[in-house]
Every structure is written in structure tokens, then in C-alpha cells.
């Protein structure tokens, strides 16, 4: 019997497709600067994910890190959040991604 | 950089077209050149203002650095308003200058300009002549703004528009171009003699 059972489960794996789903957790769906979803990358990048992360401000507004960096570098910004005009600073726990 | 500008304008186009304001035909946005860098906006004059019933065309240029810098917007339609140049259509509005933020869109810009028509800031003028008239003789300002809206932007005629048209016509009969006539008369509070003198001096 045991042998027969073993024969029944003699499955050969030829190909295995693993599917995973990920999402940035933010109060908004898309970046207010480039208007692309956070799950897509900023217009300067090619691959979404860790190489093009999302950044959160202390005012709880979210942008692609690359987009908000470009805005803050711009004199026009006066270093304020593009959505609420409060002084922009990054939320502490996203600082590890910021580096 | 330039690709971000174009991609964002594409998305904003959709936003304007599907907006409730577009549905109520309060705002409109069209392409002028195929490259999405030159657009034409349209706003309706707000109710209870001299601009009610009129339609104003705006010329919009998108800089390569958009949305990190504001779009360049000016009136293509002639308008009499303290914060808009009656000669060039240049607009004095903080969000088009130092108060621009990257999260603003062409939709919010069009709505802000429409709001500017309803609430002039004569202490921060773009056109000093208009601002002076607005402050010193508000009833003449109102009449003139309404006349310009009717004459240049398809606004509804008012009870005094026949009189004013007659004054314009009397100057045109002297060989003055109608635009110059309207400008001079508006500048000199519709005093035909002074207006004519200013043109021929």
C-alpha cells in the first residue's frame, strides 16, 4: 500500500510560477507630483519597488522619494510640502529608505 | 525632465476633461501644438461679476521643468481687470509665481484664475490704470469691465452698452481703430474729448 501511495504522488515539478503582490501603504493612491501610482515608479526610473521608494512627510503626505527630492531642491518649493505648504520633513521611520 | 512634463500634462488633460467643471462648461482645455507644451484654456466669467456670460481664452505654455515650475498663463482675450494687463493679458496671481506648488494642476490653475475674476486684488495690480479706476470710481470700473466682456468675450449686453458703443463708433469715425478707441475711452473714464486728445497728442 505504502509503495502504491508513493507512486500516486510521484509528481515531477517541471515549472513553478510564484506570484506575489506588494503595495506601498499610503493614504493616497498616486504621487501628487508626477501623478503616477506609487506601485509604478517615478518618471525617471524604470523599475518600481525598492529602487524607487515612496517617501512620507511629517504632514502625512506621500510622494515618490525622487519626486519630492526634486521638488525640495527647487528654489520654487521653499522646502514646503506641495500639497499642504507645511515645512517638509521626512517621517523618521522612512529615513532608512531615504538613505 | 521634459518627459515628466509631457506625461503629467497628458494625465491632467484627462482630469480636466472628466471634471464636473468641464461638464458644466465652466472650464475647457485644448491642445494647440501636438507636443502638449502649448495649450489653450477657456474659462467662463463667474456669475454676479461684470464677466458673467463671457468666455475667456487663456494661452498656456508648459515649461520643461513642469510641474516643478508653474505653467506660463496669460489671457488671449482682452479683459478689464485690476490683476490682468489690459494690454498684454499678463496675469498677476501668486500661484503662477512664488506660491506655485508641484501638486497643483492645470485644472486648479484654471479654477484659480476664474476665482480671481470674482475677487480682484487692486492693491497688488497688474494694470495700474484699471486698479485706480476700480478703487476711485467703482461704478465706472464695473461698467467698463462689463463692456469689455461684451465687446471682446461675448458677454451679455447691458443697459448702457448702446451708449458706450456709440462713443466707440464716434472715435472710429475719426479713423481710430476700435481697439485703440475702447482702450483710450476706458482709460479716461469714457470722456471722449480726453480720449481723442490722448490718441492724437
Amino acid at each position: 500500500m505504502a509503495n502504491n501511495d508513493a507512486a500516486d504522488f510521484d509528481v515531477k515539478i517541471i515549472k513553478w510560477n510564484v506570484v506575489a503582490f506588494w503595495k506601498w501603504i499610503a493614504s493616497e493612491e498616486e504621487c501628487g507630483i508626477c501623478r503616477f501610482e506609487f506601485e509604478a515608479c517615478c518618471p525617471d526610473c524604470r523599475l518600481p519597488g525598492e529602487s524607487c521608494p515612496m517617501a512620507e512627510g511629517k504632514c502625512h503626505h506621500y510622494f515618490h522619494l525622487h519626486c519630492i527630492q526634486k521638488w525640495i531642491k527647487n528654489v520654487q518649493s521653499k522646502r514646503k510640502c506641495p500639497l499642504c505648504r507645511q515645512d517638509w520633513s521626512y517621517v523618521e521611520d522612512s529615513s532608512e529608505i531615504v538613505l | 525632465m521634459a518627459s515628466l512634463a509631457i506625461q503629467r500634462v497628458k494625465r491632467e488633460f484627462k482630469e480636466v476633461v472628466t471634471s464636473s467643471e468641464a461638464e458644466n462648461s465652466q472650464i475647457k482645455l485644448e491642445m494647440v501644438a501636438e507636443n502638449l507644451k502649448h495649450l489653450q484654456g477657456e474659462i467662463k466669467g463667474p456669475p454676479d461679476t461684470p464677466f458673467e456670460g463671457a468666455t475667456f481664452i487663456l494661452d498656456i505654455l508648459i515649461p520643461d521643468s513642469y510641474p516643478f515650475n508653474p505653467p506660463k498663463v496669460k489671457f488671449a482675450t482682452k479683459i478689464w481687470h485690476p490683476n490682468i494687463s489690459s494690454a498684454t493679458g499678463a496675469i498677476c496671481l501668486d500661484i503662477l509665481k512664488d506660491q506655485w506648488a508641484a501638486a497643483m494642476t492645470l485644472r486648479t490653475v484654471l479654477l484659480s484664475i476664474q476665482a480671481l475674476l470674482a475677487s480682484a486684488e487692486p492693491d497688488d495690480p497688474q494694470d495700474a490704470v484699471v486698479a485706480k479706476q476700480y478703487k476711485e470710481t467703482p461704478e465706472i470700473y464695473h461698467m467698463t469691465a462689463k463692456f469689455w466682456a461684451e465687446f471682446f468675450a461675448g458677454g451679455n449686453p447691458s443697459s448702457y452698452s448702446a451708449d458706450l458703443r456709440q462713443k466707440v463708433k464716434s472715435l472710429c469715425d475719426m479713423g481710430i481703430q476700435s481697439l485703440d478707441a475702447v482702450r483710450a475711452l476706458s482709460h479716461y473714464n469714457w470722456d471722449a474729448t480726453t480720449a481723442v486728445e490722448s490718441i492724437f497728442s
Side-chain angles (χ1 to χ4, degrees):
Chain A
M1 281 293 273
N3 279 346
N4 283 350
D5 274 356
D8 285 345
F9 285 94
D10 190 7
V11 175
K12 220 186 221 169
I13 295 166
I14 296 165
K15 205 178 169 192
W16 188 15
N17 285 327
V18 181
V19 177
F21 178 82
W22 63 272
K23 200 171 165 34
W24 293 105
I25 298 170
S27 53
E28 292 125 48
E29 291 289 311
E30 54 181 37
C31 169
I33 296 176
C34 70
R35 302 266 152 178
F36 279 96
E37 293 80 9
F38 289 118
E39 286 68 43
C41 47
C42 83
D44 285 344
C45 289
R46 289 184 151 216
L47 288 172
E50 282 187 343
S51 60
C52 185
M54 188 186 73
E56 182 185 359
K58 286 215 169 112
C59 54
H60 301 296
H61 286 126
Y62 299 84
F63 303 95
H64 284 120
L65 175 64
H66 299 149
C67 292
I68 191 69
Q69 281 175 335
K70 263 202 251 169
W71 171 245
I72 293 300
K73 259 200 312 207
N74 187 322
V75 261
Q76 185 105 45
S77 78
K78 302 186 188 76
R79 304 190 65 86
K80 297 201 185 293
C81 169
L83 280 170
C84 65
R85 297 183 199 274
Q86 296 185 66
D87 290 335
W88 176 267
S89 56
Y90 294 97
V91 156
E92 299 297 328
D93 57 336
S94 73
S95 59
E96 53 182 339
I97 310 170
V98 171
L99 297 171
Chain B
M1 277 296 247
S3 83
L4 168 55
I6 287 176
Q7 290 187 50
R8 224 190 85 152
V9 170
K10 262 188 206 163
R11 288 172 169 251
E12 291 190 38
F13 235 94
K14 221 165 127 190
E15 188 195 38
V16 171
V17 172
T18 58
S19 69
S20 59
E21 297 87 12
E23 219 166 88
N24 303 329
S25 57
Q26 286 298 304
I27 59 171
K28 211 160 119 182
L29 191 61
E30 276 168 8
M31 247 192 283
V32 174
E34 288 299 313
N35 64 8
L36 285 156
K37 289 283 184 65
H38 189 189
L39 309 169
Q40 184 179 286
E42 206 180 288
I43 54 170
K44 281 269 189 291
D48 305 318
T49 68
F51 313 104
E52 182 168 6
T55 305
F56 298 92
I57 307 285
L58 297 153
D59 191 60
I60 305 170
L61 288 174
I62 307 291
D64 285 344
S65 55
Y66 186 79
F68 298 103
N69 292 103
K72 293 182 170 61
V73 187
K74 63 173 190 166
F75 273 78
T77 309
K78 298 264 168 277
I79 183 167
W80 192 254
H81 184 286
N83 304 109
I84 302 154
S85 164
S86 62
T88 64
I91 307 168
C92 178
L93 181 61
D94 56 359
I95 61 150
L96 293 176
K97 294 172 185 167
D98 58 322
Q99 290 300 309
W100 170 256
M104 289 175 180
T105 64
L106 293 169
R107 175 179 159 268
T108 57
V109 164
L110 291 175
L111 293 175
S112 301
I113 294 171
Q114 200 185 33
L116 179 69
L117 297 189
S119 58
E121 297 280 354
D123 293 324
D124 187 19
Q126 180 74 37
D127 194 309
V129 173
V130 185
K132 189 166 175 275
Q133 191 183 70
Y134 182 97
K135 290 205 323 197
E136 291 176 0
T137 50
E139 62 295 333
I140 294 182
Y141 161 76
H142 194 272
M143 181 178 83
T144 309
K146 199 156 170 36
F147 183 76
W148 279 54
E150 177 202 337
F151 200 80
F152 297 113
N156 309 324
S158 57
S159 52
Y160 39 73
S161 63
D163 278 359
L164 301 184
R165 273 182 189 275
Q166 190 51 47
K167 286 193 182 185
V168 174
K169 191 177 172 295
S170 66
L171 264 68
C172 290
D173 290 344
M174 297 175 201
I176 298 166
Q177 298 281 316
S178 67
L179 176 59
D180 294 335
V182 172
R183 271 197 184 132
L185 286 164
S186 303
H187 191 148
Y188 295 102
N189 294 350
W190 297 91
D191 182 273
T193 319
T194 327
V196 171
E197 274 171 15
S198 79
I199 291 173
F200 289 117
S201 64

